[in-house]
Amino acid sequence: MQKGLKFVAAVVASLGLQQAQAHDIWLEPSSTVLSKAGYITVAAAAGNDKFVYNHAPLRGLEHLAAVAPDGSKVAPENFMQGKLRSVLDLNLAQTGTYRLTMASGGVMASWKEGGESKRFRGNAEAFAKNVPAGAEDLKVSESLGRLETFVTVGKPTPLTATGVGLEMVPLTHPNDLVAGEVAVFRFDLEGKPAKDLEVVLVRGGSRYRDQKEEIKLKTDAEGKISVKWPQPGLYWLDVDAQDAKTTVKQAKERRLSYVATLEVLPQ
Amino acid sequence: MRQLLPLAFSAIVAAPALAAEIKLDIEVPRLSVAEYHRPYVAVWVERPDNSVAANLAVWYDGKLKNAEGTKWLKDMRQWWRRIGRELEVPIDGVTSATRAPGLHSLTFAEGKAPLAKLPPGEYKLQVEAAREAGGRELLSLPFQWPPQKATVLTAQGQHELGKLNFELKP
């Protein structure tokens, strides 16, 4: 049980925030289906066991974008970053579907300077300023991540794709998921269906069973997966991809990740 | 050293006549997963009422700073409930490092720590494994003590443990 083998760093580039991620990350909304406008609370953390707060808080949760059905943004309230989780409240006043997103990403570099190891994390602009051209033993990588969940007050409203990075295009509404039924999702990379990507689904509550019971699926030629939900619960969905669309020419590839929290209700 | 040899030799020769012995082969399965950590494994002997007769072996990561490795001991939840929470690790002759995938042999002689003199009766050998970012599995092998003759009991794990070979020697 050694730690730190999977050390992936993510940076909130637009804000210049830095986040080092050794574990999986998630958002956990207190509700996803509401019949009356009001508050929800959202917890977020990093760790191995999904929705189990035993490792580290998610950094930067105060920058969560909560987009209301009319496209306006809901300002987070009562943000708190604890030792094991970050939390905030959202007042959902409108009816329809809210999309909660945390985007992350940026450029990472390491190089040698006079025998000393140097590291950098940030956006393309800061990279140009801080990393010397022709640095010795320069290694550059780039990443773009999206962490999401969806909450609906009243009747679900359609969600539109962003066309940026790796994203889920829900063909079945993400707030209309029921155990025993089939849901279909498409995954797009820069607005185009992404085939042959592995999608992993893990149900919460792993502490109360012996095996993780992961569901592994592969996107088809149209970038789609269909899943028949075996049980109700909160599911963590993860998919990763890579492409060559980097913002700095020194980076050969860009790693993309998409993580969503989906709630499946009983029949 | 030469003078000591006859004494040491007689002790070795005498041992089998006095004490029964158990030998356990535990297979740590090779798993193809994205993130692999060696499992924590605990081996102990229980009486029919689930009370503990012997805490034989615990493999965990005791090398991490701030005793970080003790954080996952509770994931071996039966062992933790029956034994672990009453003790402080490390325990001399019981705890050791986690093991790589493969077959690992452990031998215990009755009356020699950590296997105490067991009164005749029914027992269960318990082997529990838990893996970070993985699952948890418990195998249980009932046996009679003392063995009337050399006996081999086996069990096969499905997830976190492979084959178990349990040899009892009178």
Side-chain angles (χ1 to χ4, degrees), chain A residues 52-66:
Chain A
V52 172
Y53 300 90
N54 64 5
H55 180 64
L58 183 75
R59 289 171 215 288
L61 182 67
E62 66 269 39
H63 302 294
L64 177 84

Side-chain angles (χ1 to χ4, degrees), chain B residues 10-153:
Chain B
S10 67
I12 290 165
V13 171
L18 290 173
E21 188 182 84
I22 60 177
K23 181 170 174 270
L24 181 64
D25 296 322
I26 301 175
E27 187 190 7
V28 174
R30 192 170 296 280
L31 303 171
S32 93
V33 291
E35 182 185 348
Y36 180 77
H37 302 276
R38 292 175 180 181
Y40 277 25
V41 176
V43 182
W44 72 100
V45 176
E46 273 185 17
R47 301 182 190 95
D49 66 354
N50 296 335
S51 64
V52 176
N55 181 30
L56 296 179
V58 179
W59 304 344
Y60 82 108
D61 194 342
K63 291 269 195 286
L64 295 177
K65 65 172 163 52
N66 300 326
E68 273 293 318
T70 59
K71 183 172 172 178
W72 303 286
L73 287 173
K74 52 96 182 141
D75 291 344
M76 298 182 284
R77 27 169 224 271
Q78 287 259 355
W79 174 82
W80 181 249
R81 183 176 178 220
R82 306 249 186 268
I83 304 169
R85 65 188 185 186
E86 311 285 345
L87 301 172
E88 284 280 328
V89 289
I91 306 159
D92 212 28
V94 176
T95 56
S96 59
T98 55
R99 312 279 172 107
L103 211 58
H104 302 279
S105 290
L106 302 172
T107 307
F108 305 96
E110 192 187 19
K112 190 166 176 277
L115 182 62
K117 260 298 201 204
L118 292 180
E122 285 177 40
Y123 295 92
K124 277 182 293 185
L125 178 82
Q126 304 278 83
V127 180
E128 185 172 23
R131 182 167 52 88
E132 184 184 357
R136 173 263 183 196
E137 185 163 28
L138 173 74
L139 292 178
S140 192
L141 277 173
F143 67 95
Q144 283 285 340
W145 192 262
Q148 297 309 307
K149 56 179 176 27
T151 311
V152 179
L153 303 168

